[in-house]
Amino acid sequence: MNKTKNINIVLMTFILLFSVPVSAFANSSWAWLTPFRPIYILPFAIIVTLATEILLIYYFSKSTKFNKIITFVILGNLLSFLTPYLCDYLSSLMPHSIYDFSTMLERAPMYIVGFGYLFLTLIVEFPIVYYGVKKDVENQQGLIKGIIISNIITTIFTALVEHILCRGHG
């Protein structure tokens, strides 16, 4: 039963992931009004996000393996960051696509942090971190809380910094 439940969760994750559109086509041009762009704050956001998530998940879960938490949090964050690009790339392979892979990379980053980003992050990152470390924690409910709370905190923090420093008009 437990194995079937895990397979169902993974299948539902992929169904949700690939059924939600991640790009829209519009006839507009975007101009940044500030010298900062989201890509400029990315290194800072990565450091704060990883440190916050690792420490909160470790604290809430009462884990016995700190290095394993580090590994799976980094992996989960990397995949959640790359997922929109993967989805956009896959949609560019469709016959109706109007651009190729190199054009997609030049449009990066494709999103500004907000609620949709939090939703996407939880869909991608939660199963990776949860199933990666659940055998090595004393408190599985704490692990769930730690993953969700840390992602909410880091998404809000990144969104605030991004919206304060990076202003544009389109």
Side-chain angles (χ1 to χ4, degrees):
M1 171 88 178
N2 196 17
K3 196 172 197 175
T4 304
K5 186 178 177 183
N6 291 344
I7 291 171
N8 288 338
I9 290 171
V10 170
L11 287 174
M12 286 304 296
T13 299
F14 280 104
I15 288 169
L16 283 171
L17 182 64
F18 291 108
S19 66
V20 177
V22 293
S23 61
F25 299 101
N27 191 13
S28 67
S29 58
W30 186 265
W32 291 104
L33 303 174
T34 58
F36 286 104
R37 313 282 190 276
I39 196 74
Y40 297 162
I41 64 168
L42 184 61
F44 173 71
I46 289 170
I47 292 167
V48 170
T49 296
L50 291 176
T52 303
E53 289 183 17
I54 289 166
L55 293 174
L56 285 176
I57 291 169
Y58 181 73
Y59 172 77
F60 280 109
S61 69
K62 309 291 187 227
S63 176
T64 57
K65 297 192 177 177
F66 187 68
N67 288 339
K68 200 166 183 183
I69 288 179
I70 292 171
T71 302
F72 282 99
V73 168
I74 290 172
L75 179 64
N77 275 277
L78 180 63
L79 291 176
S80 71
F81 178 76
L82 294 176
T83 297
Y85 298 105
L86 174 64
C87 292
D88 199 37
Y89 172 70
L90 293 174
S91 70
S92 75
L93 298 176
M94 300 296 172
H96 67 279
S97 177
I98 59 172
Y99 58 90
D100 59 10
F101 184 70
S102 62
T103 305
M104 180 199 72
L105 291 177
E106 289 184 26
R107 297 181 324 140
M110 299 177 333
Y111 50 78
I112 294 177
V113 175
F115 179 75
Y117 180 80
L118 174 62
F119 181 71
L120 176 70
T121 299
L122 287 174
I123 287 175
V124 175
E125 190 177 329
F126 184 89
I128 292 168
V129 176
Y130 180 78
Y131 290 110
V133 301
K134 77 175 186 172
K135 292 179 183 174
D136 299 309
V137 300
E138 294 176 18
N139 184 353
Q140 287 194 1
Q141 291 298 326
L143 174 62
I144 293 169
K145 276 191 222 177
I147 295 169
I148 293 171
I149 290 170
S150 66
N151 274 282
I152 290 170
I153 290 170
T154 56
T155 300
I156 290 171
F157 172 77
T158 303
L160 285 174
V161 170
E162 187 177 79
H163 289 276
I164 291 169
L165 295 178
C166 308
R167 296 194 187 274
H169 179 65

